[in-house]
Amino acid sequence: MDGQGQKTATSTAVTPTPPSRIHTASAPFSKTYADIILRTSDNVDFYVWKGILIESSPVLADMFLLGDKLAEKESSTSVVDVLESSAVLDPLLRICYPPPHPRLSSLEDLKPVIAAAHKYQMDGVLEVLKEQLSKHAQTVPLRAYVFALSLDMQDAAGSAARHFLNHHPHDEYVPDLEGFNAGSYHRLLAYRKQCTEALANMIASQLSWLQDGAWQPFLTCGCASVSFQVTLRESDAARQPKVWFWQHYLRMGALLAERPCRAAIEDPALIDRAIREASGCANCRNLVHEGLHAFMTQFKDEIERRIEAVPLPLQ
């Protein structure tokens, strides 16, 4: 009200929202003389060469064709709007261009780029990204497996499943499991169990898979032996393993029961302990370095052979 008690009309000015500013991407996507523009969801323009991307993506090739028809009418460079953000489009395009290719440091960064490459049917780009996904699978195998299966990337899912063997899955939870197919997760756990059983059977077979080699003295030396005999493959001779050798064998079996993969027995301390224990016998001490390393090579090869015989969970 004014001083006379009368109401004074007031008005509220509405300021129009200014249009979002368009930014230009960093090199090499800042060449304004390029023949087409990809505009991201966060308003960043990527100046790119159609010839490169047409060879990379049949989907983009079709989008460019439509853009060319519009450009003929408007006499301007085609602008193609894409749903991806600049953070996703930038590494995607850099892999289309000549090397060096970017390395995405986390699975969170990698996932949307793979999804975009899948969407645009960029098969060559996907091969590069699958290699990066496999590296992430070494540290976060369950997350990598869930993501790979969601896009039907069977090679990557298989690699992640193999890396999953090197981790302890007890009560492991990752948010990626929300919405994940329960049957697929069950098959992954079943795969790990089958691999564990395959290696347990290998240990229980008491070297029946092993042929003669540089490790033969560890079964025939006159030093302390176990109370039972073993028979190697393609041999009728029964031998008594030395106590130190058999203890080493059983320690590896215990490690494989926890992590059913060759990485479980890669710790150099494992061999160092066996060498120290073998040094109590003068004969074994002279032969243990060469013989034990030769045995370990055969042992790891047998692990791989048995694991490869277990079908991968790819559904």
Side-chain angles (χ1 to χ4, degrees), residues 195-206:
C195 291
T196 302
E197 292 172 349
L199 298 188
N201 291 336
M202 169 187 164
I203 296 296
S205 69
Q206 297 189 333

Side-chain angles (χ1 to χ4, degrees), residues 234-246:
E234 300 178 3
S235 173
D236 295 328
R239 302 119 186 258
Q240 283 185 285
K242 306 303 103 183
V243 169
W244 70 263
F245 176 74
W246 200 250

Side-chain angles (χ1 to χ4, degrees), residues 24-47:
T24 300
S26 59
F29 310 118
S30 56
K31 297 180 174 69
T32 56
Y33 51 84
D35 53 8
I36 200 161
I37 301 169
L38 297 184
R39 181 166 295 162
T40 63
S41 60
D42 53 345
N43 290 314
V44 178
D45 280 356
F46 286 75
Y47 292 82

Side-chain angles (χ1 to χ4, degrees), residues 59-304:
V59 175
L60 286 178
D62 290 341
M63 293 171 67
F64 294 163
L65 179 61
L66 176 60
D68 286 342
K69 292 178 179 179
L70 294 174
E72 289 176 3
K73 297 178 181 179
E74 300 173 2
S75 299
S76 61
T77 303
S78 297
V79 177
V80 178
D81 291 300
V82 296
L83 296 177
E84 288 70 30
S85 69
S86 57
V88 172
L89 193 65
D90 187 281
L92 184 73
L93 294 178
R94 289 183 190 277
I95 297 175
C96 295
Y97 273 54
H101 296 146
R103 298 206 63 83
L104 297 158
S105 59
S106 72
L107 188 60
E108 288 75 13
D109 293 336
L110 181 62
K111 286 168 61 176
V113 182
I114 290 181
H118 192 270
K119 166 185 170 182
Y120 292 118
Q121 300 176 20
M122 294 177 166
D123 293 340
V125 173
L126 278 172
E127 290 304 312
V128 174
L129 294 173
K130 283 178 184 177
E131 292 181 9
Q132 298 193 27
L133 181 59
S134 293
K135 293 187 181 299
H136 287 296
Q138 296 175 21
T139 54
V140 284
L142 181 54
R143 296 188 61 205
Y145 176 77
V146 170
F147 177 68
L149 272 194
S150 72
L151 293 180
D152 196 28
M153 299 168 64
Q154 296 204 348
D155 290 345
S159 175
R162 288 292 300 268
H163 287 302
F164 184 69
L165 299 176
N166 194 32
H167 288 250
H168 299 282
H170 308 299
D171 299 324
E172 182 175 4
Y173 170 80
V174 295
D176 310 61
L177 287 174
E178 295 294 337
F180 186 55
N181 185 293
S184 296
Y185 185 50
H186 172 78
R187 283 186 283 273
L188 177 64
L189 295 177
Y191 167 71
R192 194 181 195 281
K193 181 179 179 182
Q194 290 167 9
C195 291
T196 302
E197 292 172 349
L199 298 188
N201 291 336
M202 169 187 164
I203 296 296
S205 69
Q206 297 189 333
L207 302 179
S208 63
W209 50 270
L210 183 67
Q211 289 182 303
D212 273 329
W215 48 84
Q216 181 175 337
F218 308 153
L219 307 178
T220 58
C221 181
C223 63
S225 304
V226 297
S227 59
F228 54 86
Q229 296 180 324
V230 299
T231 303
L232 303 189
R233 190 177 70 183
E234 300 178 3
S235 173
D236 295 328
R239 302 119 186 258
Q240 283 185 285
K242 306 303 103 183
V243 169
W244 70 263
F245 176 74
W246 200 250
Q247 288 177 341
H248 173 65
Y249 184 72
L250 295 179
R251 281 195 292 268
M252 292 193 295
L255 291 171
L256 292 172
E258 295 181 2
R259 293 184 293 146
C261 60
R262 64 178 292 164
I265 58 168
E266 296 283 9
D267 187 352
L270 184 65
I271 290 185
D272 290 345
R273 180 177 177 180
I275 291 175
R276 288 196 304 271
E277 293 175 349
S279 297
C281 168
N283 184 49
C284 291
R285 180 168 61 245
N286 293 330
L287 301 171
V288 67
H289 286 277
E290 178 184 356
L292 191 58
H293 282 88
F295 170 74
M296 291 299 291
T297 297
Q298 292 295 313
F299 190 82
K300 292 173 184 177
D301 288 346
E302 184 66 12
I303 289 174
E304 289 298 310

Side-chain angles (χ1 to χ4, degrees), residues 48-68:
V48 293
W49 298 103
K50 287 187 289 187
I52 294 176
L53 300 188
I54 285 173
E55 294 301 323
S56 302
S57 166
V59 175
L60 286 178
D62 290 341
M63 293 171 67
F64 294 163
L65 179 61
L66 176 60
D68 286 342

